[in-house]
Amino acid sequence: MLDLLVHASSCRVSHCQYPNCRQVKGLFLHGMKCKIRAAGGCDLCKKVHARTCEESECHVPRCRELKETKQMIMRQHGAEVASGSG
């Protein structure tokens, strides 16, 4: 993941074939231009924020809910991998 962030932050190729480069560049662009931000209710900003937030008492709207959803998905994925179906 770190390699992707480093790559995307310096990549200037418009149709780059590096896996997920265009998506991450899109997130960077959104982050620079978004006027709403996570605290103001931007769904994309809230999702990105929740992926990295480690505060137990975060005041960003829906941060806790998004973190809980992420944890649930990770547990389900772990169970699928453990059972051999994922």
Side-chain angles (χ1 to χ4, degrees):
M1 181 62 103
L2 183 57
D3 289 340
L4 172 59
L5 293 173
V6 170
H7 169 85
S9 68
S10 61
C11 180
R12 301 294 175 249
V13 179
S14 60
H15 295 290
C16 181
Q17 297 302 309
Y18 193 100
N20 299 313
C21 178
R22 287 185 275 179
Q23 290 88 339
V24 172
K25 285 193 285 190
L27 288 174
F28 288 158
L29 182 63
H30 175 84
M32 290 187 302
K33 292 184 174 188
C34 183
K35 303 293 187 226
I36 300 170
R37 301 284 183 189
C42 175
D43 287 336
L44 183 56
C45 289
K46 284 190 279 190
K47 287 177 186 175
V48 172
H49 168 85
R51 288 180 185 158
T52 59
C53 180
E54 296 179 2
E55 294 181 41
S56 60
E57 296 298 321
C58 181
H59 297 289
V60 171
R62 297 187 60 229
C63 180
R64 183 182 307 170
E65 176 186 332
L66 290 165
K67 283 191 274 191
E68 289 171 356
T69 300
K70 174 186 163 193
Q71 290 171 351
M72 183 178 67
I73 291 169
M74 296 301 287
R75 284 193 298 269
Q76 288 174 343
H77 179 68
E80 290 172 358
V81 169
S83 71
S85 64

Coordinates of all heavy atoms in Angstrom, one line a residue:
M1 N 0.8 -1.2 0.0 CA 0.0 0.0 0.0 C 0.9 1.3 0.0 O 0.6 2.2 -0.7 CB -0.9 0.0 1.2 CG -1.8 1.2 1.3 SD -3.0 1.3 -0.1 CE -4.4 0.7 0.7
L2 N 1.9 1.2 0.8 CA 2.8 2.4 0.8 C 3.5 2.6 -0.5 O 3.6 3.7 -1.0 CB 3.9 2.2 1.9 CG 4.9 3.3 2.1 CD1 4.1 4.6 2.5 CD2 5.8 3.0 3.2
D3 N 3.9 1.5 -1.2 CA 4.4 1.7 -2.5 C 3.5 2.3 -3.5 O 3.9 3.2 -4.3 CB 4.8 0.3 -3.1 CG 6.0 -0.3 -2.4 OD1 6.8 0.4 -1.8 OD2 6.2 -1.5 -2.5
L4 N 2.2 2.0 -3.4 CA 1.2 2.6 -4.2 C 1.1 4.1 -4.0 O 1.0 4.9 -4.9 CB -0.2 1.9 -4.0 CG -1.4 2.5 -4.7 CD1 -1.2 2.6 -6.2 CD2 -2.6 1.8 -4.3
L5 N 1.0 4.5 -2.7 CA 0.9 5.9 -2.3 C 2.1 6.7 -2.8 O 2.0 7.8 -3.4 CB 0.8 6.0 -0.8 CG -0.5 5.5 -0.2 CD1 -0.5 5.6 1.3 CD2 -1.7 6.3 -0.8
V6 N 3.3 6.1 -2.7 CA 4.5 6.8 -3.1 C 4.5 6.9 -4.6 O 4.8 8.0 -5.2 CB 5.8 6.0 -2.6 CG1 7.0 6.6 -3.3 CG2 5.9 6.1 -1.1
H7 N 4.1 5.8 -5.3 CA 4.1 5.9 -6.8 C 3.0 6.9 -7.3 O 3.4 7.8 -8.1 CB 3.7 4.5 -7.3 CG 3.4 4.5 -8.8 ND1 4.3 4.5 -9.8 CD2 2.2 4.7 -9.4 CE1 3.7 4.6 -11.0 NE2 2.4 4.7 -10.8
A8 N 1.8 6.8 -6.7 CA 0.8 7.7 -7.2 C 1.0 9.2 -6.9 O 0.6 10.0 -7.7 CB -0.6 7.3 -6.6
S9 N 1.7 9.4 -5.8 CA 2.0 10.8 -5.5 C 3.0 11.5 -6.5 O 3.0 12.7 -6.6 CB 2.6 11.0 -4.1 OG 3.8 10.4 -4.0
S10 N 3.8 10.7 -7.2 CA 4.7 11.3 -8.1 C 4.4 10.9 -9.6 O 5.1 11.4 -10.5 CB 6.1 10.9 -7.8 OG 6.3 9.5 -7.8
C11 N 3.5 10.1 -9.8 CA 3.2 9.6 -11.2 C 2.5 10.7 -12.0 O 1.5 11.4 -11.6 CB 2.2 8.4 -11.1 SG 1.8 7.8 -12.8
R12 N 3.0 10.9 -13.2 CA 2.4 11.9 -14.1 C 1.8 11.3 -15.4 O 1.5 12.1 -16.3 CB 3.5 13.0 -14.5 CG 4.1 13.7 -13.3 CD 3.1 14.6 -12.6 NE 3.6 15.2 -11.4 CZ 3.2 14.9 -10.2 NH1 2.3 14.0 -10.0 NH2 3.8 15.5 -9.1
V13 N 1.7 10.0 -15.4 CA 1.2 9.3 -16.6 C -0.3 9.3 -16.5 O -0.9 8.8 -15.5 CB 1.8 7.9 -16.7 CG1 1.2 7.1 -17.9 CG2 3.3 7.9 -16.8
S14 N -1.0 9.8 -17.5 CA -2.5 9.9 -17.4 C -3.2 8.6 -17.4 O -4.2 8.4 -16.7 CB -3.0 10.8 -18.5 OG -2.7 10.3 -19.7
H15 N -2.7 7.6 -18.1 CA -3.3 6.3 -18.2 C -2.3 5.3 -17.6 O -2.0 4.2 -18.3 CB -3.7 5.9 -19.6 CG -4.8 6.8 -20.1 ND1 -6.1 6.8 -19.6 CD2 -4.8 7.8 -21.0 CE1 -6.8 7.7 -20.2 NE2 -6.1 8.3 -21.1
C16 N -1.8 5.5 -16.4 CA -0.8 4.6 -15.8 C -1.4 3.2 -15.6 O -2.6 3.1 -15.2 CB -0.4 5.2 -14.5 SG 0.8 4.2 -13.6
Q17 N -0.6 2.2 -15.8 CA -1.0 0.9 -15.7 C -0.7 0.3 -14.3 O -1.0 -0.9 -14.0 CB -0.4 0.0 -16.8 CG -0.9 0.4 -18.2 CD -2.4 0.3 -18.3 OE1 -3.0 -0.7 -18.0 NE2 -3.0 1.4 -18.8
Y18 N 0.0 1.1 -13.5 CA 0.3 0.6 -12.1 C -1.0 0.3 -11.4 O -1.9 1.1 -11.4 CB 1.1 1.7 -11.4 CG 1.8 1.3 -10.1 CD1 3.2 1.0 -10.1 CD2 1.1 1.2 -8.9 CE1 3.8 0.6 -8.9 CE2 1.7 0.8 -7.7 CZ 3.1 0.5 -7.8 OH 3.7 0.1 -6.6
P19 N -1.1 -0.9 -10.8 CA -2.4 -1.2 -10.1 C -2.9 -0.2 -9.2 O -2.2 0.2 -8.2 CB -2.1 -2.5 -9.4 CG -0.9 -3.1 -10.2 CD -0.1 -1.9 -10.6
N20 N -4.1 0.3 -9.4 CA -4.8 1.3 -8.6 C -4.2 2.7 -8.5 O -4.7 3.5 -7.8 CB -5.0 0.7 -7.1 CG -5.8 -0.5 -7.1 OD1 -6.8 -0.6 -7.7 ND2 -5.2 -1.5 -6.4
C21 N -3.3 3.0 -9.4 CA -2.7 4.3 -9.4 C -3.7 5.4 -9.8 O -3.8 6.4 -9.1 CB -1.5 4.3 -10.5 SG -0.8 5.9 -10.6
R22 N -4.5 5.1 -10.8 CA -5.5 6.1 -11.2 C -6.5 6.4 -10.0 O -6.9 7.5 -9.8 CB -6.2 5.7 -12.4 CG -5.3 5.9 -13.7 CD -6.1 5.6 -14.9 NE -6.0 4.2 -15.2 CZ -6.6 3.6 -16.2 NH1 -7.3 4.2 -17.1 NH2 -6.5 2.3 -16.3
Q23 N -6.9 5.4 -9.3 CA -7.9 5.5 -8.2 C -7.3 6.4 -7.1 O -7.9 7.3 -6.6 CB -8.3 4.2 -7.7 CG -9.2 3.4 -8.6 CD -8.4 2.5 -9.5 OE1 -7.2 2.7 -9.8 NE2 -9.1 1.5 -10.1
V24 N -6.0 6.1 -6.8 CA -5.4 6.9 -5.7 C -5.1 8.3 -6.1 O -5.3 9.2 -5.3 CB -4.0 6.2 -5.2 CG1 -3.3 7.0 -4.3 CG2 -4.4 4.8 -4.6
K25 N -4.7 8.5 -7.4 CA -4.5 9.9 -7.9 C -5.9 10.6 -7.8 O -5.9 11.8 -7.5 CB -4.0 9.9 -9.3 CG -2.5 9.5 -9.3 CD -1.9 9.8 -10.7 CE -2.2 8.9 -11.7 NZ -1.4 9.0 -13.0
G26 N -7.0 9.9 -8.1 CA -8.3 10.5 -8.0 C -8.6 10.9 -6.6 O -9.2 12.0 -6.3
L27 N -8.2 10.1 -5.6 CA -8.4 10.4 -4.2 C -7.6 11.7 -3.8 O -8.1 12.5 -3.1 CB -8.1 9.3 -3.3 CG -9.0 8.1 -3.3 CD1 -8.5 6.9 -2.5 CD2 -10.4 8.5 -2.8
F28 N -6.3 11.7 -4.3 CA -5.5 12.9 -4.0 C -6.1 14.1 -4.6 O -6.2 15.2 -3.9 CB -4.1 12.7 -4.6 CG -3.2 11.7 -4.0 CD1 -2.2 11.2 -4.7 CD2 -3.4 11.3 -2.7 CE1 -1.3 10.3 -4.1 CE2 -2.5 10.4 -2.1 CZ -1.5 9.9 -2.8
L29 N -6.6 14.1 -5.8 CA -7.2 15.2 -6.4 C -8.5 15.6 -5.7 O -8.7 16.8 -5.4 CB -7.6 14.9 -7.9 CG -8.2 16.0 -8.7 CD1 -7.3 17.2 -8.8 CD2 -8.6 15.5 -10.1
H30 N -9.3 14.7 -5.3 CA -10.5 15.0 -4.5 C -10.1 15.7 -3.2 O -10.8 16.7 -2.9 CB -11.3 13.7 -4.2 CG -12.5 13.9 -3.3 ND1 -13.7 14.4 -3.8 CD2 -12.6 13.9 -2.0 CE1 -14.5 14.6 -2.8 NE2 -13.9 14.2 -1.7
G31 N -9.1 15.1 -2.5 CA -8.7 15.7 -1.3 C -8.3 17.2 -1.4 O -8.5 18.0 -0.5
M32 N -7.7 17.5 -2.5 CA -7.2 18.9 -2.7 C -8.3 19.8 -3.1 O -8.3 21.0 -2.7 CB -6.2 18.9 -3.9 CG -4.8 18.3 -3.5 SD -3.6 18.5 -4.8 CE -4.3 17.8 -6.2
K33 N -9.4 19.3 -3.7 CA -10.4 20.2 -4.2 C -11.7 20.2 -3.3 O -12.5 21.1 -3.4 CB -10.9 19.8 -5.6 CG -9.8 20.0 -6.7 CD -10.3 19.7 -8.0 CE -9.2 20.1 -9.1 NZ -9.8 20.0 -10.4
C34 N -11.9 19.2 -2.5 CA -13.1 19.0 -1.7 C -13.3 20.2 -0.7 O -12.4 20.4 0.1 CB -13.2 17.7 -1.0 SG -14.7 17.4 -0.1
K35 N -14.4 20.8 -0.8 CA -14.7 21.9 0.2 C -15.5 21.5 1.3 O -15.6 22.1 2.3 CB -15.5 23.1 -0.6 CG -14.8 23.6 -1.8 CD -13.5 24.4 -1.4 CE -12.9 25.0 -2.6 NZ -11.5 24.9 -2.8
I36 N -16.1 20.3 1.2 CA -17.0 19.8 2.3 C -16.2 19.1 3.4 O -16.4 19.3 4.6 CB -18.0 18.8 1.7 CG1 -18.9 19.5 0.6 CG2 -18.9 18.2 2.8 CD1 -19.7 18.6 -0.2
R37 N -15.3 18.3 3.0 CA -14.4 17.5 3.9 C -15.2 16.5 4.7 O -16.4 16.5 4.7 CB -13.6 18.4 4.8 CG -12.7 19.4 4.1 CD -11.5 18.6 3.6 NE -10.6 19.6 2.9 CZ -9.6 19.2 2.2 NH1 -9.3 17.9 2.1 NH2 -8.8 20.1 1.6
A38 N -14.5 15.7 5.5 CA -15.1 14.7 6.3 C -16.1 15.3 7.4 O -17.2 14.8 7.6 CB -14.1 13.8 7.0
A39 N -15.6 16.3 8.1 CA -16.4 16.9 9.1 C -17.6 17.5 8.6 O -18.6 17.7 9.3 CB -15.6 17.9 9.9
G40 N -17.6 17.9 7.3 CA -18.8 18.6 6.7 C -19.7 17.6 6.0 O -20.8 18.0 5.6
G41 N -19.4 16.4 6.0 CA -20.3 15.4 5.4 C -20.0 14.7 4.1 O -20.8 14.0 3.5
C42 N -18.8 15.0 3.6 CA -18.4 14.3 2.3 C -18.2 12.8 2.5 O -17.3 12.4 3.3 CB -17.1 15.0 1.7 SG -16.5 14.1 0.2
D43 N -19.0 12.0 1.9 CA -18.9 10.6 2.1 C -17.5 10.0 1.7 O -17.0 9.1 2.4 CB -20.0 9.8 1.2 CG -21.3 10.0 1.8 OD1 -21.5 10.3 3.0 OD2 -22.3 9.9 1.1
L44 N -16.9 10.5 0.6 CA -15.6 9.9 0.2 C -14.5 10.3 1.2 O -13.7 9.5 1.6 CB -15.2 10.5 -1.2 CG -13.9 10.0 -1.8 CD1 -13.9 8.4 -1.8 CD2 -13.7 10.6 -3.1
C45 N -14.5 11.5 1.7 CA -13.6 12.0 2.7 C -13.7 11.2 4.0 O -12.8 10.8 4.6 CB -13.7 13.5 2.9 SG -13.1 14.5 1.6
K46 N -15.0 10.9 4.4 CA -15.2 10.2 5.6 C -14.7 8.8 5.5 O -14.1 8.2 6.4 CB -16.7 10.2 5.9 CG -17.2 11.5 6.5 CD -18.6 11.3 7.0 CE -19.6 11.4 5.9 NZ -21.0 11.6 6.3
K47 N -14.9 8.1 4.3 CA -14.4 6.8 4.1 C -12.9 6.7 4.2 O -12.3 5.9 4.9 CB -14.9 6.2 2.8 CG -16.3 5.8 2.8 CD -16.7 5.4 1.5 CE -18.2 5.1 1.4 NZ -18.7 4.8 0.1
V48 N -12.2 7.7 3.6 CA -10.8 7.8 3.6 C -10.3 8.0 5.0 O -9.3 7.4 5.5 CB -10.2 8.8 2.6 CG1 -8.7 9.0 2.8 CG2 -10.5 8.4 1.2
H49 N -10.9 9.0 5.7 CA -10.6 9.3 7.1 C -10.7 8.1 8.0 O -9.8 7.8 8.8 CB -11.5 10.4 7.6 CG -11.4 10.6 9.1 ND1 -10.4 11.4 9.6 CD2 -12.1 10.1 10.1 CE1 -10.5 11.4 10.9 NE2 -11.5 10.6 11.2
A50 N -11.8 7.4 7.9 CA -12.0 6.2 8.7 C -11.0 5.1 8.5 O -10.7 4.4 9.5 CB -13.4 5.7 8.5
R51 N -10.4 5.0 7.4 CA -9.4 4.0 7.1 C -8.2 4.2 7.9 O -7.4 3.3 8.2 CB -9.1 3.9 5.6 CG -10.2 3.3 4.8 CD -9.8 3.3 3.4 NE -10.9 2.8 2.5 CZ -11.0 3.1 1.3 NH1 -10.1 3.7 0.6 NH2 -12.0 2.6 0.6
T52 N -7.9 5.5 8.2 CA -6.6 5.8 8.9 C -6.8 6.3 10.3 O -5.8 6.4 11.1 CB -5.8 6.9 8.1 OG1 -6.6 8.0 8.0 CG2 -5.5 6.3 6.7
C53 N -8.0 6.6 10.7 CA -8.2 7.2 12.0 C -8.0 6.2 13.1 O -8.5 5.1 13.1 CB -9.7 7.8 12.1 SG -10.0 8.5 13.7
E54 N -7.3 6.6 14.1 CA -7.1 5.7 15.3 C -7.6 6.3 16.6 O -7.4 5.8 17.7 CB -5.6 5.5 15.4 CG -5.0 4.7 14.2 CD -3.5 4.4 14.3 OE1 -2.9 4.8 15.3 OE2 -3.0 3.8 13.4
E55 N -8.3 7.5 16.5 CA -8.9 8.1 17.7 C -10.1 7.3 18.2 O -11.0 7.0 17.4 CB -9.3 9.5 17.4 CG -8.1 10.5 17.1 CD -8.6 11.9 16.8 OE1 -9.5 12.3 17.5 OE2 -8.1 12.5 15.9
S56 N -10.1 7.0 19.4 CA -11.3 6.3 20.0 C -12.5 7.2 20.1 O -13.6 6.7 20.1 CB -10.9 5.7 21.3 OG -10.6 6.7 22.3
E57 N -12.3 8.5 20.3 CA -13.4 9.5 20.5 C -13.4 10.5 19.3 O -13.5 11.7 19.6 CB -13.3 10.2 21.8 CG -13.4 9.2 23.0 CD -14.8 8.5 23.0 OE1 -15.8 9.2 22.7 OE2 -14.9 7.4 23.4
C58 N -13.3 10.0 18.1 CA -13.2 10.9 16.9 C -14.6 11.6 16.7 O -15.6 11.0 16.9 CB -12.9 10.1 15.7 SG -12.8 11.1 14.2
H59 N -14.5 12.9 16.3 CA -15.8 13.6 16.2 C -16.2 13.8 14.7 O -17.1 14.5 14.4 CB -15.6 15.0 16.8 CG -15.4 14.9 18.3 ND1 -16.4 14.5 19.2 CD2 -14.3 15.1 19.1 CE1 -15.9 14.5 20.4 NE2 -14.7 14.8 20.4
V60 N -15.5 13.1 13.8 CA -15.9 13.2 12.4 C -17.1 12.4 12.2 O -17.2 11.2 12.7 CB -14.8 12.6 11.5 CG1 -15.2 12.4 10.0 CG2 -13.5 13.5 11.5
P61 N -18.2 12.9 11.6 CA -19.4 12.2 11.5 C -19.3 10.8 10.8 O -18.6 10.7 9.8 CB -20.3 13.1 10.6 CG -19.7 14.5 10.8 CD -18.2 14.3 11.0
R62 N -19.9 9.8 11.4 CA -19.9 8.4 10.9 C -18.5 7.8 11.0 O -18.4 6.6 10.5 CB -20.5 8.4 9.5 CG -21.9 8.8 9.4 CD -22.6 8.5 8.1 NE -22.5 7.1 7.7 CZ -22.1 6.7 6.5 NH1 -21.7 7.5 5.6 NH2 -22.1 5.4 6.3
C63 N -17.5 8.4 11.5 CA -16.2 7.7 11.6 C -16.3 6.4 12.3 O -15.8 5.4 11.8 CB -15.2 8.7 12.3 SG -13.5 7.9 12.3
R64 N -16.9 6.4 13.5 CA -17.0 5.1 14.3 C -17.7 4.1 13.5 O -17.3 2.9 13.4 CB -17.7 5.4 15.6 CG -17.7 4.1 16.5 CD -18.4 4.3 17.8 NE -17.8 5.5 18.5 CZ -18.4 6.0 19.5 NH1 -19.5 5.5 20.0 NH2 -17.8 7.0 20.1
E65 N -18.8 4.5 12.9 CA -19.6 3.5 12.1 C -18.8 2.9 10.9 O -18.9 1.7 10.7 CB -20.9 4.2 11.5 CG -21.7 3.4 10.6 CD -22.9 4.2 10.0 OE1 -23.3 5.2 10.6 OE2 -23.3 3.8 8.9
L66 N -18.1 3.8 10.2 CA -17.3 3.3 9.1 C -16.1 2.4 9.6 O -15.8 1.4 9.0 CB -16.7 4.5 8.3 CG -17.8 5.2 7.5 CD1 -17.2 6.6 7.1 CD2 -18.3 4.4 6.3
K67 N -15.5 2.7 10.7 CA -14.5 1.8 11.3 C -15.1 0.5 11.7 O -14.4 -0.6 11.5 CB -13.8 2.5 12.5 CG -12.8 3.6 12.1 CD -12.0 4.0 13.3 CE -12.7 5.1 14.1 NZ -11.8 5.8 15.0
E68 N -16.3 0.5 12.3 CA -16.9 -0.8 12.7 C -17.2 -1.6 11.5 O -17.1 -2.8 11.5 CB -18.1 -0.5 13.5 CG -17.8 0.1 14.9 CD -19.0 0.5 15.7 OE1 -20.1 0.5 15.1 OE2 -18.9 0.9 16.8
T69 N -17.7 -1.0 10.4 CA -18.0 -1.7 9.2 C -16.7 -2.3 8.6 O -16.7 -3.5 8.2 CB -18.6 -0.8 8.2 OG1 -19.8 -0.2 8.7 CG2 -18.9 -1.5 6.9
K70 N -15.7 -1.6 8.6 CA -14.4 -2.1 8.1 C -13.9 -3.3 8.9 O -13.5 -4.3 8.4 CB -13.3 -1.0 8.2 CG -11.9 -1.4 7.8 CD -10.9 -0.3 8.1 CE -9.5 -0.8 8.1 NZ -8.6 0.1 8.6
Q71 N -14.1 -3.2 10.3 CA -13.7 -4.3 11.1 C -14.5 -5.5 10.9 O -14.0 -6.7 10.8 CB -13.8 -3.9 12.6 CG -12.7 -2.9 13.0 CD -12.9 -2.3 14.4 OE1 -14.0 -2.6 15.0 NE2 -12.0 -1.6 14.9
M72 N -15.8 -5.3 10.6 CA -16.7 -6.5 10.3 C -16.3 -7.1 9.0 O -16.2 -8.4 9.0 CB -18.1 -6.0 10.3 CG -19.1 -7.1 10.0 SD -20.8 -6.5 10.0 CE -20.9 -5.5 8.5
I73 N -16.0 -6.3 8.0 CA -15.6 -6.9 6.7 C -14.3 -7.7 6.9 O -14.1 -8.7 6.3 CB -15.5 -5.8 5.7 CG1 -16.9 -5.2 5.3 CG2 -14.8 -6.3 4.4 CD1 -16.9 -3.9 4.5
M74 N -13.3 -7.1 7.6 CA -12.1 -7.8 7.8 C -12.3 -9.1 8.6 O -11.6 -10.1 8.2 CB -11.1 -6.9 8.6 CG -10.7 -5.6 7.9 SD -9.9 -6.0 6.3 CE -8.3 -6.5 6.8
R75 N -13.2 -9.2 9.6 CA -13.4 -10.4 10.3 C -14.1 -11.4 9.3 O -13.7 -12.6 9.3 CB -14.3 -10.2 11.5 CG -13.6 -9.5 12.7 CD -14.5 -9.6 13.9 NE -15.7 -8.9 13.8 CZ -15.9 -7.6 14.1 NH1 -14.9 -6.9 14.6 NH2 -17.1 -7.0 14.0
Q76 N -15.0 -11.0 8.5 CA -15.7 -11.9 7.5 C -14.6 -12.4 6.5 O -14.6 -13.6 6.2 CB -16.8 -11.2 6.8 CG -18.0 -10.9 7.6 CD -19.0 -10.1 6.9 OE1 -18.8 -9.5 5.9 NE2 -20.2 -10.1 7.4
H77 N -13.8 -11.6 6.0 CA -12.8 -12.0 5.1 C -11.8 -13.0 5.7 O -11.4 -14.0 5.1 CB -12.0 -10.8 4.6 CG -10.9 -11.1 3.6 ND1 -11.2 -11.6 2.3 CD2 -9.6 -11.1 3.7 CE1 -10.0 -11.9 1.7 NE2 -9.0 -11.6 2.5
G78 N -11.4 -12.7 7.0 CA -10.6 -13.6 7.7 C -11.2 -15.0 7.9 O -10.5 -16.0 7.8
A79 N -12.5 -15.0 8.2 CA -13.2 -16.3 8.3 C -13.3 -17.0 7.0 O -13.1 -18.3 7.0 CB -14.6 -16.0 8.9
E80 N -13.5 -16.3 5.9 CA -13.5 -17.0 4.6 C -12.2 -17.5 4.2 O -12.1 -18.7 3.7 CB -13.9 -16.0 3.5 CG -15.4 -15.5 3.6 CD -15.7 -14.4 2.7 OE1 -14.8 -13.9 2.0 OE2 -16.9 -14.0 2.7
V81 N -11.1 -16.8 4.5 CA -9.8 -17.3 4.2 C -9.4 -18.5 5.1 O -8.9 -19.5 4.6 CB -8.7 -16.2 4.5 CG1 -7.3 -16.7 4.4 CG2 -8.9 -15.1 3.5
A82 N -9.8 -18.5 6.4 CA -9.6 -19.6 7.3 C -10.3 -20.8 6.8 O -9.8 -22.0 7.0 CB -10.0 -19.2 8.7
S83 N -11.5 -20.7 6.3 CA -12.3 -21.8 5.9 C -12.0 -22.3 4.5 O -12.5 -23.3 4.0 CB -13.8 -21.5 5.9 OG -14.2 -20.6 4.9
G84 N -11.1 -21.5 3.8 CA -10.7 -21.9 2.4 C -11.6 -21.4 1.3 O -11.5 -21.8 0.2
S85 N -12.6 -20.6 1.6 CA -13.6 -20.2 0.6 C -13.3 -18.8 0.1 O -14.0 -18.2 -0.7 CB -15.0 -20.2 1.1 OG -15.2 -19.3 2.2
G86 N -12.2 -18.1 0.5 CA -11.9 -16.8 0.1 C -10.7 -16.7 -0.5 O -9.9 -16.3 -1.2

